[in-house]
Amino acid sequence: MKSFSIDDEQLARLVCALTGDELARHFNHYTDFVAQAEWGPDTPVGEDGAELTQEQLEACARRFCSFFDKPADSLITAASDTFGSWSQQVKQLIEKDLRTFRFHPATQGGVAEARHSADEVWQDARMIASLMHGRRRIITMVSTHSLFGFVTSVLAPNLQHLSVVDGRAMSPDLLADSLTFGDILIATPTLWRYLAQTLPSFPNNVMGLSFGEPLMLDLSAELREMGLGAMRELYGSTETGIIGWRDTPSEPFVLFDHWAADGEKLVRTCPDGQVRELTAMDHLLWEGDRTFSLAGRRDGAVQIGAVNVFPQKIGEIIAEHPDIAGCNVRVAQRSGALDRLIAHIDLNAGVSPNQDMAWRVDEWCRKKLRPPERPRIYVFGQVS
């Protein structure tokens, strides 16, 4: 795939993002997006920088190689490396040959990979680039390590020759001052909810781009009332690729040109002319040959902060606590507020549902669950 282009700064930003995700997935070490946004090509991976241990350093290097489907030992590492030196090594590899990407979806096990040919990722980028036509600049609030983040804030902007600014470290006041006529602002619905609560308004002709979880109609309307010129929402998944888009939550999604419906299946026409059948992660309610709305997840996942979580699995993990007999987790959806998880916990006979018990459960959840998986409310009952 010869037409692919990723510059040095984008590669360094990508390796920083992959490092943050790898630390969270396999070391239970969460680096907030503000800290990640401050990492750059000159940031040491070890002391006085990201402070990676030797084990973490090796795992993150393997993850960077894996992203481009290169052998795990392709990257020669040392504690004195910088993120920029890592990206320069991989740059030499992908300039010679780049055929496949490997993305990590937020699955129940947290370790599955989704492989996509580089040509198909490029095909997705061309479709997204068409939605960006006529824009001046992009400010992104999302990381580049995911399929959607990579396509929307690296590949598609490159096709339209748009500069990209990482807005994750910006305060609301700085972001408000930075937005200008013709910009695109990329964020997940959870972040859009935060922006709606913290920004005073939007300049004329700013377009929003949203993905990762459903965009609710009340939030979309609130953003438009604040002056947002347009809001485009993408649909798809890490497993399938980017499937469709719409301009408002009140309308159905529209398939991109290389997709077609075939009963319960979706059919993708690939750049090489091959045709593949895929199943969407959601049940799709077709309203025309090429338009659809969503009718619930197939795998029982819900989305908290643009991350797929599985309430049944979360309940099973909480129920492993020695004082707990059973746990049921549900999602509380509130108009004008973020979705949150509520855990209904049955304690073993003789265990008191007091504050100390709540702290023990909370500590258990912090050790066993990722931040988006942790319930915000505990409701205690007791087995008689």
Side-chain angles (χ1 to χ4, degrees), residues 134-153:
R135 294 285 134 179
R136 298 162 60 93
R137 183 185 62 160
I138 289 173
I139 298 180
T140 179
M141 307 295 288
V142 302
S143 175
T144 60
H145 73 275
S146 69
L147 171 63
F148 277 71
F150 185 56
V151 168
T152 59
S153 58

Side-chain angles (χ1 to χ4, degrees), residues 58-230:
E58 293 172 358
C60 292
R62 289 194 298 269
R63 177 69 184 281
F64 195 32
C65 295
S66 171
F67 183 87
F68 293 104
D69 201 29
K70 300 302 179 185
D73 59 355
S74 298
L75 193 58
I76 301 172
T77 62
S80 58
D81 288 340
T82 63
F83 286 125
S85 65
W86 278 10
S87 62
Q88 286 302 306
Q89 285 191 58
V90 173
K91 179 183 179 181
Q92 297 177 24
L93 296 174
I94 64 176
E95 285 180 340
K96 296 176 182 177
D97 180 57
L98 178 57
R99 300 177 184 271
T100 310
F101 289 100
R102 293 198 284 184
F103 299 94
H104 287 217
T107 59
Q108 196 154 341
V111 295
E113 289 185 335
R115 289 181 178 233
H116 292 278
S117 76
D119 283 327
E120 290 181 21
V121 174
W122 183 255
Q123 185 180 42
D124 284 352
R126 286 175 47 237
M127 294 296 101
I128 304 306
S130 69
L131 301 180
M132 296 177 171
H133 180 71
R135 294 285 134 179
R136 298 162 60 93
R137 183 185 62 160
I138 289 173
I139 298 180
T140 179
M141 307 295 288
V142 302
S143 175
T144 60
H145 73 275
S146 69
L147 171 63
F148 277 71
F150 185 56
V151 168
T152 59
S153 58
V154 177
L155 303 185
N158 286 354
L159 284 171
Q160 290 287 2
H161 304 289
L162 297 173
S163 63
V164 178
V165 176
D166 191 337
R168 292 176 297 167
M170 291 183 180
S171 67
D173 288 343
L174 178 57
L175 179 59
D177 291 340
S178 299
L179 283 167
T180 60
F181 182 97
D183 282 347
I184 297 176
L185 182 58
I186 301 176
T188 65
T190 294
L191 291 170
W192 281 116
R193 182 78 65 184
Y194 168 75
L195 295 175
Q197 295 170 351
T198 56
L199 295 184
S201 63
F202 291 96
N204 289 336
N205 198 32
V206 170
M207 185 181 95
L209 189 63
S210 182
F211 51 80
E213 55 188 305
L215 180 69
M216 305 306 291
L217 184 58
D218 69 308
L219 175 57
S220 177
E222 183 178 359
L223 292 166
R224 295 299 292 270
E225 290 174 0
M226 293 172 62
L228 192 67

